Amino acid sequence: MARGRARVAVSILDADHSNMAYAIRRAEREGADRFHIDVMDGHFVPNLTFGPRMIKGIRPRTELPLDAHLMISEPLAYMDEFIAAGCDSITFHVEVEPAQIEPALRKIRAAGRAPGLAVKPATPLSALEPYRGMFDIVLVMTVEPGFGGQEFMKDVAAEKLLAARSYLTHKPVEGEVHVDGGVNRESAEFVGGLAVDILVVGSVLWIKGRNMGREIRLVRALADEGYQYGLNDGKPPIPRDAMVMFAQLPRHLAWKFMDDIEQGGIPAIPLRGSGQFNPDGARDYDLLVPASAEALTTERHRADRERYLGEAAAWRTDYIAKNGVKPPETLRPDPNRRRANRPASDSPAGDSPAGERPGS
């Protein structure tokens, strides 16, 4: 698992198509965070590439997320196939026939995958406005879609990348801005300074003799450095996968508080941790939230946390009054332990294997 904030999605457009399984294994071994699969129909863009069958063949080869980028004219017509193929997220272009967009986004969401919308260099971000709240990914193209190896459009990145975040306010943690096109070590620091989450890196990784792993690490590091000095006052970015404890509560209250927090788009995880033992013998659960959202969670739920802590104290008092105090789970006798540890000589004759005497 990579540290830091930025993540690299390896595009397989320029990989060796004659041995895609090896290409996938190699990129994963070299540190790819996910895979970006460019699907082109020869109509929406002047090139023809992969389809759902290719994705279905890739899916068993890796457990990393598969991001499908559909550069096709009729995404809705083929959406069921791409969902069935095993994509973790599916992004298509806002420039397609408008009647398709909302039903396609809803279909992706209903399947439990992350829906996304992509914008070509000439398309303003305002084209996303009618669909606000329906997508979790904004993919900004910094080349004209269709072919790999093009020059990075710095002016497009400067205009759109940071502004794209405003279309993801409903997903304060899990919403992602992707940049696709001409991303490499030369452009990574610049786009990182514009708060990009996912950098799609392609042709530069597949150059013969190039150290793919070093390139991936370098792109990530430069993007994080751009964020650190461009947007974060010189402080290193909070690692994307870091979690912090927000509260310790009895199980029934931890789950309720988790639901409250997640209604606002912040993921929360209750885990059995280091909390106090309750009178029912069970430990409190640690309720974890992403470190990057700790300040936002506190801002939204400080009063809720105090209320739940008060409910926990009242529940403990009431439980003791009605039931007394049970020993902690770790100190309770295990009814199976004595039987498992019983010496063979103590076993009844009927428990002995056929043909053997007890204790033999």
Side-chain angles (χ1 to χ4, degrees):
M1 184 180 294
R3 297 181 180 180
R5 181 180 183 279
R7 293 291 180 264
V8 171
V10 172
S11 169
I12 60 172
L13 184 61
D14 291 322
D16 180 0
H17 293 191
S18 69
N19 196 353
M20 193 59 77
Y22 171 75
I24 292 292
R25 288 194 301 269
R26 178 192 171 200
E28 183 168 354
R29 185 176 64 246
E30 296 290 351
D33 297 304
R34 55 176 71 185
F35 289 101
H36 180 92
I37 304 173
D38 292 302
V39 177
M40 307 181 193
D41 63 359
H43 182 261
F44 184 79
V45 292
N47 197 1
L48 191 64
T49 58
F50 315 113
R53 286 190 178 184
M54 171 66 82
I55 298 173
K56 188 174 182 179
I58 291 172
R59 181 70 282 175
R61 309 293 180 179
T62 180
E63 294 184 1
L64 293 180
L66 300 181
D67 296 339
H69 174 196
L70 308 187
M71 290 169 270
I72 62 178
S73 297
E74 298 185 46
L76 181 58
Y78 299 98
M79 194 56 68
D80 288 335
E81 294 182 55
F82 284 104
I83 290 170
C87 303
D88 294 280
S89 68
I90 302 175
T91 297
F92 60 92
H93 276 261
V94 73
E95 297 90 358
V96 302
E97 180 63 35
Q100 303 181 73
I101 296 178
E102 182 172 341
L105 291 171
R106 293 193 183 281
K107 184 167 283 196
I108 299 168
R109 176 85 71 199
R113 318 300 167 83
L117 285 176
V119 290
K120 291 181 178 181
T123 302
L125 287 175
S126 58
L128 303 173
E129 187 61 42
Y131 316 103
R132 184 186 286 271
M134 299 182 191
F135 52 85
D136 301 345
I137 294 169
V138 176
L139 188 151
V140 175
M141 295 294 301
T142 45
V143 298
E144 288 298 334
F147 295 93
Q150 299 180 58
E151 289 294 319
F152 174 71
M153 296 180 177
K154 188 174 183 179
D155 57 335
V156 173
E159 176 189 351
K160 294 182 179 179
L161 289 178
L162 193 57
R165 181 72 54 192
S166 66
Y167 290 89
L168 296 169
T169 53
H170 63 290
K171 284 280 186 177
V173 177
E174 295 175 317
E176 295 176 344
V177 176
H178 296 210
V179 60
D180 183 8
V183 178
N184 51 37
R185 64 172 73 181
E186 281 75 31
S187 52
E189 185 175 356
F190 181 74
V191 299
L194 296 170
V196 158
D197 301 291
I198 310 297
L199 294 83
V200 179
V201 186
S203 54
V204 69
L205 299 178
W206 304 104
I207 297 173
K208 188 174 181 179
R210 182 66 61 94
N211 186 324
M212 179 186 287
R214 182 176 183 275
E215 201 72 24
I216 290 172
R217 292 190 299 272
L218 188 58
V219 166
R220 269 198 303 252
L222 286 169
D224 281 344
E225 191 169 295
Y227 182 87
Q228 176 176 345
Y229 293 105
L231 294 173
N232 212 38
D233 297 325
K235 296 178 289 186
I238 297 172
R240 180 172 295 274
D241 300 313
M243 304 290 285
V244 295
M245 185 174 65
F246 186 66
Q248 290 183 314
L249 293 165
R251 186 183 190 280
H252 65 287
L253 294 175
W255 256 255
K256 287 176 63 178
F257 199 8
M258 175 189 71
D259 291 340
D260 292 349
I261 293 171
E262 290 193 335
Q263 284 179 7
I266 299 173
I269 303 174
L271 293 176
R272 186 77 62 88
S274 58
Q276 66 173 304
F277 281 103
N278 286 302
D280 63 352
R283 277 191 186 275
D284 274 351
Y285 277 69
D286 295 344
L287 189 59
L288 308 179
V289 298
S292 60
E294 182 179 14
L296 178 61
T297 310
T298 301
E299 177 185 328
R300 291 181 177 179
H301 297 285
R302 179 185 285 108
D304 295 329
R305 178 169 57 185
E306 294 305 315
R307 175 171 56 83
Y308 273 109
L309 291 173
E311 287 184 28
W315 171 80
R316 293 185 187 106
T317 300
D318 184 62
Y319 188 97
I320 292 171
K322 293 179 179 178
N323 305 289
V325 177
K326 294 182 180 180
E329 290 178 343
T330 56
L331 301 179
R332 293 182 192 175
D334 184 348
N336 297 316
R337 182 177 300 171
R338 186 168 179 270
R339 177 172 296 181
N341 295 333
R342 180 191 296 166
S345 59
D346 291 344
S347 300
D351 291 344
S352 300
E356 293 185 12
R357 293 180 299 173
S360 61

